[in-house]
Amino acid sequence: MMIEVFKTNVQEVEQSVMIVGKLLEHFPNSAINFDLEDCDKILRVNDSKILNHKIIELVNSYGFHCEVLH
């Protein structure tokens, strides 16, 4: 399994729940969660194969910024 960490601008718990749900529709075998307490509003994705560009594209499609955290 791999873990990828993304920086987002998601602020609200309701937003994070919606985004996790949408991501799980595309990546049903992933473990996905947000850490909204972190200053970078971290999105963590744990899966055997992570498609960074697809995750970023999906989060962006809901009006949120998302980038790989280096």
Side-chain angles (χ1 to χ4, degrees):
M1 291 297 244
M2 301 170 40
I3 297 176
E4 190 66 79
V5 180
F6 300 88
K7 175 181 178 177
T8 75
N9 65 344
V10 174
Q11 300 293 324
E12 305 295 329
V13 172
E14 296 81 12
Q15 296 167 334
S16 68
V17 169
M18 180 273 293
I19 291 169
V20 168
K22 297 296 184 183
L23 289 171
L24 285 172
E25 289 176 14
H26 293 270
F27 308 102
N29 299 319
S30 297
I32 303 172
N33 62 62
F34 274 91
D35 180 359
L36 299 181
E37 300 296 315
D38 187 278
C39 65
D40 289 323
K41 308 302 182 194
I42 297 296
L43 167 64
R44 284 188 196 87
V45 180
N46 186 346
D47 199 342
S48 57
K49 183 177 181 189
I50 298 174
L51 302 172
N52 288 351
H53 68 283
K54 188 66 176 166
I55 291 167
I56 292 168
E57 185 180 293
L58 284 164
V59 174
N60 289 346
S61 75
Y62 293 101
F64 296 100
H65 176 77
C66 182
E67 65 183 77
V68 174
L69 189 64
H70 297 286

